[in-house]
Amino acid sequence: MGPGPSEVHPEVLEVMSKPLVGHLDPAFIEIMDEVQELLRYAFQTANEWTIPVSGTGSAAMEAAIGNVVVPGDTVLVPGNGYFGERMAQMAERAGGDVSVIEGRWGEPIDIDTLQTAVDETDPDVVCLVHAETSTGVLQHDLAKAADIVHENGGLLIVDCVTSLGGVELRVDEWGIDVAYSGPQKCLSCPPGASPLTLNDRAMEKIEAREEPMRCWYLDLQLIADYWGSDRSYHHTAPITNVYAIREALRLVAEEGLEARWDRHEQIASSLVEQLEALGLDTYVSSEDWLPTLTTIQVPDSVDDNAVIEQLRTSAGIEIAGGLGSMAGEIWRIGCMGHSAREENISLLVDAMASSLEDQGFEPMVD
Ligand SMILES: Cc1ncc(COP(=O)(O)O)c(C=O)c1O
């Protein structure tokens, strides 16, 4: 129940023990087609260019940013969390001229601030994080953000690592040009094959590049040989991870996206209510709260690491502390995919209550 990986679904684990076929075997090519179709459903897109990138979420992030950002491009990145900082680093390495959209950790990027930043910098590419795993903040208004970016002629890249399959995400309806994710969060699948989708505008920009992307392995113009219609060799696909993501996505489709978004919201709301009943406070306001990752303020009298360790050793439950500048300030509790179940919440809340008691924490009574 940390910020990921979440508990892998048993049916996903089972398919990972199946014998390998070759990455060009007709049977595997059928599996590739199915994965692409299921990914389109999960992203709510008709984008032809929808693939699992071989590697973790950062590989999908680098494939998105490294291909779309052309040297000399002006790029805007969000200044409200750890993963926005990573986007900035990648955009700089891709040769972008990067500016940060002013933002505070614990809050989403304000849409008027985005408008001002776009007016001031005239960006070719704007990056946003839908679900900021470092703070537990949900970025609202992605459709409005896309309008602002498009009116100015740019492309919008959105990090959906902690939202895909867990909170409402509609790539086509909202006008997102490029979105990527990771399988180990709300899809409850091991890391290794990471979802990426790009619309025609983004692909046209990539195809028109005068200078190839700097990384051979993640160059989408080359990967097109394998994941495009040719199905010819570029690199050996991580076969087992592709089996796994197909099964994980099949489970998403079986449950239905809307039902899955509702389940995450319900289970995570129950988590928040029960933790508040213990006298704890959430770090993020209820309007900006991200159901898949709840952040809780560490009370002054409590040692955050001692609680994390006690949960791990005495109850077998993983939660995490704050990332980057949030270390020591918050706990991060995931409610993702197969982990998002009422029985897990009860176990966690009981273990948390006894650990807080051991620490001598006395909740303030209103
Ligand atoms: C929002 C976000 N973006 C990107 C990443 C990077 O993914 P990975 O660690 O799988 O490379 C993560 C990982 O937690 C994340 O939470």
Side-chain angles (χ1 to χ4, degrees):
M1 304 213 56
S6 61
E7 193 180 333
V8 174
H9 195 287
E11 290 180 35
V12 173
L13 284 178
E14 199 189 315
V15 300
M16 294 186 78
S17 64
K18 300 285 179 216
L20 260 66
V21 291
H23 55 285
L24 295 172
D25 189 296
F28 192 69
I29 286 174
E30 262 180 47
I31 292 174
M32 292 167 73
D33 291 339
E34 277 177 43
V35 169
Q36 288 188 284
E37 212 34 57
L38 287 162
L39 273 178
R40 288 186 188 105
Y41 170 68
F43 274 124
Q44 291 287 285
T45 182
N47 288 342
E48 187 191 336
W49 256 94
T50 305
I51 64 167
V53 175
S54 304
T56 70
S58 303
M61 189 185 217
E62 192 127 41
I65 295 173
N67 280 282
V68 171
V69 174
V70 172
D73 270 1
T74 302
V75 183
L76 279 178
V77 296
N80 65 334
Y82 180 90
F83 289 101
E85 289 177 0
R86 185 172 297 184
M87 289 174 124
Q89 289 169 17
M90 287 187 183
E92 265 163 27
R93 284 175 186 232
D97 179 4
V98 178
S99 303
V100 176
I101 312 163
E102 223 175 279
R104 285 164 58 108
W105 285 46
E107 292 173 15
I109 295 295
D110 173 67
I111 214 73
D112 294 330
T113 310
L114 172 69
Q115 178 77 65
T116 309
V118 166
D119 292 343
E120 281 172 8
T121 60
D122 188 20
D124 301 290
V125 178
V126 175
C127 302
L128 288 173
V129 179
H130 188 205
E132 192 28 275
T133 326
S134 60
T135 55
V137 165
L138 181 68
Q139 179 65 48
H140 316 284
D141 298 332
L142 286 176
K144 270 194 214 153
D147 284 347
I148 293 171
V149 175
H150 294 157
E151 271 161 27
N152 206 65
L155 289 169
L156 177 64
I157 300 180
V158 181
D159 180 314
C160 302
V161 169
T162 301
S163 62
L164 183 74
V167 295
E168 185 179 12
L169 168 65
R170 300 181 188 275
V171 166
D172 285 1
E173 195 181 314
W174 295 352
I176 298 168
D177 299 294
V178 181
Y180 62 82
S181 187
Q184 75 273 24
K185 311 270 183 179
C186 308
L187 302 181
S188 279
C189 177
S194 298
L196 171 68
T197 188
L198 303 97
N199 66 13
D200 289 347
R201 263 187 79 219
M203 274 318 279
E204 277 157 22
K205 178 171 180 192
I206 292 170
E207 277 155 12
R209 287 181 70 111
E210 284 171 12
E211 183 189 311
M213 188 230 186
R214 290 178 186 178
C215 166
W216 181 91
Y217 188 64
L218 295 172
D219 184 341
L220 290 173
Q221 294 199 74
L222 303 181
I223 293 177
D225 291 344
Y226 186 52
W227 282 99
S229 52
D230 281 3
R231 297 287 194 236
S232 59
Y233 173 71
H234 171 260
H235 65 273
T236 309
I239 312 284
T240 305
N241 291 88
V242 176
Y243 293 167
I245 198 165
R246 177 180 65 160
E247 184 59 16
L249 290 164
R250 192 194 64 71
L251 289 163
V252 172
E254 186 177 87
E255 182 174 2
L257 262 184
E258 270 95 1
R260 199 173 171 95
W261 296 335
D262 286 351
R263 170 168 63 85
H264 280 83
E265 171 124 21
Q266 268 176 31
I267 299 287
S269 300
S270 161
L271 168 74
V272 170
E273 267 169 38
Q274 293 182 54
L275 290 177
E276 282 178 343
L278 294 183
L280 296 171
D281 294 317
T282 53
Y283 168 63
V284 173
S285 76
S286 55
E287 302 84 68
D288 303 328
W289 166 70
L290 172 65
T292 52
L293 200 275
T294 294
T295 42
I296 297 289
Q297 295 179 42
V298 177
D300 284 346
S301 59
V302 171
D303 174 350
D304 63 324
N305 271 325
V307 172
I308 292 170
E309 271 307 290
Q310 198 171 344
L311 291 190
R312 192 176 64 79
T313 51
S314 63
I317 297 173
E318 180 194 84
I319 66 164
L323 197 57
S325 60
M326 295 310 297
E329 303 289 319
I330 54 172
W331 286 299
R332 294 182 300 146
I333 305 177
C335 215
M336 302 179 191
H338 186 55
S339 299
R341 282 176 285 145
E342 197 62 65
E343 70 250 39
N344 285 350
I345 301 303
S346 306
L347 287 170
L348 172 70
V349 172
D350 289 350
M352 196 81 174
S354 85
S355 182
L356 288 171
E357 200 183 315
D358 289 355
Q359 292 256 334
F361 171 64
E362 293 195 2
M364 305 256 288
V365 182
D366 293 332

